[in-house]
Amino acid sequence: MTPVLLVLNAGSSSLKFQVFILGDGEEPQRIFRGLFEGLREAPHLRIRDRTGTTVADEDFGSDGAFGHEDALLHVAAWMRAHSGGFELVAVGHRIVHGGMTYCEPVRVTAEVLEALERLVPLAPLHQPHNLEPIRIFRRRFPDLPQVACFDTAFHAGQPEIARLFALPHAMMEGGVRRYGFHGLSYAYIASVLPAYDPALAAGRVVVAHLGNGASLCALNRGASVATTMGFSALDGLPMGTRCGSLDAGIVFYMLREMKLGPDEAERMLYTQSGLLGVSGISNDMRTLRRVAAREPDARRAIDLFVYRIGRELGSLVAALGGIDALIFTAGIGENDAATRAEVLRGAAWAGFELDDAANASGGPRVTRGPGPTAWVIPTDEELMIARATRAVLSRPRSSRPQPAL
Ligand code: ADP
């Protein structure tokens, strides 16, 4: 039997998963990518193999009963039926928050799960959904090893000054500090930088993870030294539906003057703001680009997104004391040449010289000249989880923790 890993990224109504052959070579080998959408509404499953061919495309009725547990059991059964000869040896989970304790991937035990549940107040919209599959697998397959990989972990080694808010010290002691997110993406990019240019791995690099969620991270010699997201995944850049950095006074205004309850205010900041809120049209960059020429509100949303990236970039360049390279990644960063061009033109002050032709064709290098370079590098958070899961499995159970991812 060929041993395989299941990598899971669970959201409120979706379940993304990938299957990797464990392998004894350098990297786990991806064999399937799957997505369950519309859980508890109109569940739909699509699975593709490594050639991109769809190997499963199913609906699961819309009576609202089919939830995460059914989806996970279906995936497990599908793997047994369709992957004859493959044995599931472990599950790696993307977990948004590791708090102050978990600075590296960890094998899940009852104690670990309890500790991760205590972090729910720090990420109430994501952590509960990330943890649910762990509980389900523990109940259904108690002997199956599970590994938690954290979006916060990569930032754990940042200098303390980068992690502080100017709040009373006791709040920081209580966990109110900058954690940063998208760490699995940044860890992956840091791991492949040498393959693009060995000098980058030793240099001052800003990575722009621009997807539905968006943040920037400053890397010095491959280590995170500052990032735009803070205590929650709401901070920093405007995103698809999230507002990004906000004057805290606006929250009091929403509560006192607008008479919004905390849940309503939270919903507005997380789900009705960002590109969607400003444009009133869509959270999807492709849609906004399509209509921007005739819809000033779409244009304004894009302009604000690019402007904020430029401002935050300047702040990270200051934190790094200069910049050698800017990396674009995730859905917008990898695919939207117009956003890359606008950001780089705005950053001409730092010496970036856009190479239009290279940018239009997707790079990987999209600048020319003697100044800092800019690159398009596709991210791969799932591979990072598969690597980490394999590494944790191969550790003796009692061994001391390894350095953070
Ligand atoms: P998530 O954070 O959900 O993983 P992604 O990294 O998939 O998000 O990014 C989604 C964003 O990428 C959306 O705004 C989408 O419009 C944008 N995007 C994807 N493909 C393209 C494209 N070809 N051109 C412009 N934007 C794109």
Side-chain angles (χ1 to χ4, degrees):
M1 297 270 268
T2 309
V4 294
L5 300 172
L6 178 64
V7 169
L8 282 183
N9 181 357
S12 58
S13 66
S14 72
L15 191 66
K16 287 187 198 162
F17 61 94
Q18 299 196 0
V19 182
F20 289 80
I21 294 178
L22 202 51
D24 47 12
E26 268 186 15
E27 292 278 38
Q29 300 297 313
R30 183 172 5 238
I31 47 174
F32 295 113
R33 296 170 195 262
L35 173 62
F36 252 114
E37 285 179 296
L39 295 175
R40 298 224 174 274
E41 284 170 17
H44 179 259
L45 167 67
R46 183 191 291 271
I47 306 178
R48 292 194 166 92
D49 69 11
R50 60 177 118 193
T51 68
T53 307
T54 298
V55 293
D57 193 354
E58 295 176 57
D59 289 314
F60 290 84
S62 48
D63 61 2
F66 194 98
H68 285 77
E69 180 147 5
D70 305 284
L72 284 173
L73 292 177
H74 186 85
V75 170
W78 184 89
M79 283 174 61
R80 271 196 304 276
H82 286 76
S83 328
F86 291 146
E87 179 199 7
L88 179 60
V89 294
V91 186
H93 298 265
R94 178 181 185 174
I95 307 292
V96 68
H97 222 300
M100 290 194 276
T101 310
Y102 295 107
C103 308
E104 62 192 44
V106 63
R107 190 190 282 245
V108 179
T109 60
E111 193 188 352
V112 168
L113 185 54
E114 221 173 276
L116 296 181
E117 274 162 1
R118 283 199 296 274
L119 296 175
V120 164
L122 298 186
L125 302 187
H126 295 98
Q127 192 87 341
H129 306 300
N130 298 163
L131 297 183
E132 193 179 353
I134 297 186
R135 275 193 295 271
I136 294 169
F137 272 118
R138 281 176 67 80
R139 205 165 53 239
R140 296 286 187 151
F141 310 103
D143 296 329
L144 186 65
Q146 301 197 68
V147 175
C149 302
F150 304 100
D151 265 320
T152 47
F154 186 65
H155 306 294
Q158 282 182 359
E160 195 197 20
I161 198 88
R163 315 202 73 198
L164 289 177
F165 290 108
L167 288 168
H169 190 69
M171 287 193 67
M172 149 98 175
E173 296 288 305
V176 180
R177 55 196 296 176
R178 302 184 69 90
Y179 290 96
F181 299 88
H182 291 139
L184 294 160
S185 174
Y186 295 129
Y188 175 78
I189 297 291
S191 77
V192 297
L193 279 181
Y196 286 83
D197 181 353
L200 294 183
R204 298 159 301 178
V205 173
V206 172
V207 185
H209 178 107
L210 308 177
N212 264 321
S215 68
L216 305 183
C217 179
L219 301 178
N220 195 2
R221 297 176 180 272
S224 169
V225 294
T227 187
T228 57
M229 277 182 173
F231 175 71
S232 72
L234 203 54
D235 201 8
L237 302 177
M239 307 176 214
T241 61
R242 285 174 250 166
C243 58
S245 297
L246 198 70
D247 177 342
I250 294 173
V251 178
F252 300 116
Y253 181 84
M254 291 168 84
L255 301 181
R256 284 213 193 94
E257 302 302 321
M258 296 172 66
K259 310 279 184 228
L260 298 183
D263 291 345
E264 273 174 298
E266 184 176 61
R267 210 167 26 251
M268 184 184 289
L269 301 183
Y270 272 94
T271 67
Q272 297 160 12
S273 301
L275 293 175
L276 174 66
V278 177
S279 69
I281 295 172
S282 175
N283 65 325
D284 192 300
M285 184 56 91
R286 278 167 297 198
T287 307
L288 296 179
R289 287 279 174 204
R290 228 177 2 254
V291 303
R294 60 174 191 278
E295 298 280 0
D297 292 341
R299 186 67 250 172
R300 185 181 304 117
I302 296 172
D303 288 347
L304 179 58
F305 183 64
V306 170
Y307 170 79
R308 290 292 319 163
I309 293 171
R311 294 243 329 235
E312 295 285 351
L313 174 64
S315 150
L316 293 188
V317 173
L320 282 167
I323 184 163
D324 300 308
L326 173 61
I327 313 292
F328 291 96
T329 195
I332 298 171
E334 291 168 28
N335 298 297
D336 192 20
T339 293
R340 293 195 299 264
E342 289 161 11
V343 168
L344 287 169
R345 286 198 196 101
W349 61 269
F352 288 102
E353 199 180 327
L354 176 67
D355 180 335
D356 274 308
N359 185 45
S361 63
R365 184 173 161 173
V366 295
T367 46
R368 59 177 170 224
T373 54
W375 304 76
V376 180
I377 302 183
T379 194
D380 196 340
E381 290 152 298
E382 291 79 9
L383 176 59
M384 214 56 216
I385 296 171
R387 284 178 183 168
T389 302
R390 189 168 77 161
V392 171
L393 281 186
S394 65
R395 243 185 246 165
R397 291 197 70 160
S398 58
S399 78
R400 294 182 62 76
Q402 304 292 304
L405 256 183

